[in-house]
Amino acid sequence: MSFRVELGHSLGKLAPNGTGKTTLINMMAGREKLDEGTIYRGCRISFPQGFMGGVVNRHTARENVSYIAQLYGLGPDYIEAFCRWMCGIGEYFDMPVWTDSARMRSRLTFALMVALEFDIYLIDEGMPSTTNAEFNRKAGEILRERLKKTTVIIVFHQALTLERFARSAAVLRNGKLHMFDTREEAKQLYDYEADS
């Protein structure tokens, strides 16, 4: 496949489960190597939403946030305040990450991703896996705000998500990426193939 992502032009990719959505996102982030071909990155690309790399389970969320802020050359105080507000996990922020539930860890990694400034944010399967309505509201608002000045690449298996976060769309089927100028065209192909 060959495609180009224009900054300021958020892209949604639709694909059924098991067709390579996560692999594609990981390759774009540099987490997985290509068997062949080249990916050119001329901007700051986030780690994939939900990726726990760099977060050490035996350290507290506060310690992890401070460490990652320093890795990116940022003041830890702002990043910590943002993540505390975003996560809303209270006293668990000062406990080892392993004591948190998977949903709380997901909140932490999402908060870290959006606290850092990237040109392109990579999101696999939409919003973090959490049933916390307040967190979901904050996450949705922040993503919509980021769309005004950055780019989001979101891979998902449900077409409805594209309406909220993507201007154009692509469909990944049988190892081929079909690019479309509009979300509606992509949804038509995706729905047609899903019904076939």
Side-chain angles (χ1 to χ4, degrees):
M1 67 182 69
S2 179
F3 65 95
R4 177 185 176 94
V5 176
E6 298 287 345
L7 292 181
H9 192 87
S10 292
L11 174 67
K13 295 180 183 177
L14 286 168
N17 288 328
T19 56
K21 296 187 305 295
T22 298
T23 300
L24 181 59
I25 282 287
N26 285 340
M27 287 190 298
M28 293 177 73
R31 291 191 58 221
E32 289 191 30
K33 292 183 178 179
L34 284 70
D35 293 331
E36 59 184 62
T38 307
I39 294 178
Y40 297 99
R41 299 175 191 88
C43 62
R44 296 166 299 166
I45 300 176
S46 78
F47 48 86
Q49 172 265 315
F51 171 53
M52 287 298 289
V55 174
V56 180
N57 283 335
R58 71 176 179 273
H59 295 305
T60 66
R62 181 177 52 78
E63 291 167 336
N64 276 292
V65 165
S66 177
Y67 172 70
I68 290 173
Q70 289 176 42
L71 278 180
Y72 284 90
L74 301 169
D77 292 343
Y78 165 76
I79 304 298
E80 178 183 337
F82 179 90
C83 289
R84 280 185 183 273
W85 167 80
M86 182 81 201
C87 293
I89 59 176
E91 63 188 20
Y92 286 100
F93 203 86
D94 293 302
M95 294 182 183
V97 170
W98 66 264
T99 61
D100 298 347
S101 69
R103 289 181 174 153
M104 288 183 182
R105 288 193 300 273
S106 178
R107 286 191 232 171
L108 174 62
T109 56
F110 183 85
L112 274 168
M113 183 183 76
V114 295
L116 304 170
E117 293 292 328
F118 294 105
D119 299 308
I120 296 178
Y121 289 89
L122 301 175
I123 300 180
D124 185 4
E125 289 296 313
M127 304 301 289
S129 175
T130 173
T131 56
N132 184 282
E134 178 64 12
F135 177 84
N136 289 343
R137 183 190 62 76
K138 290 177 186 175
E141 287 177 1
I142 288 170
L143 278 182
R144 282 188 288 276
E145 189 62 32
R146 289 291 159 87
L147 281 172
K148 296 176 184 176
K149 56 184 179 178
T150 61
T151 303
V152 171
I153 298 174
I154 183 168
V155 292
F156 208 69
H157 69 277
Q158 293 179 345
L160 182 62
T161 305
L162 296 182
E163 299 293 334
R164 296 168 55 198
F165 299 113
R167 283 179 48 196
S168 62
V171 176
L172 180 61
R173 284 280 184 183
N174 302 319
K176 294 182 180 178
L177 189 68
H178 306 274
M179 298 287 290
F180 295 95
D181 291 331
T182 67
R183 296 172 300 204
E184 195 53 46
E185 290 174 296
K187 286 167 60 180
Q188 286 176 6
L189 173 64
Y190 187 71
D191 292 341
Y192 172 76
E193 293 201 1
D195 293 338
S196 299

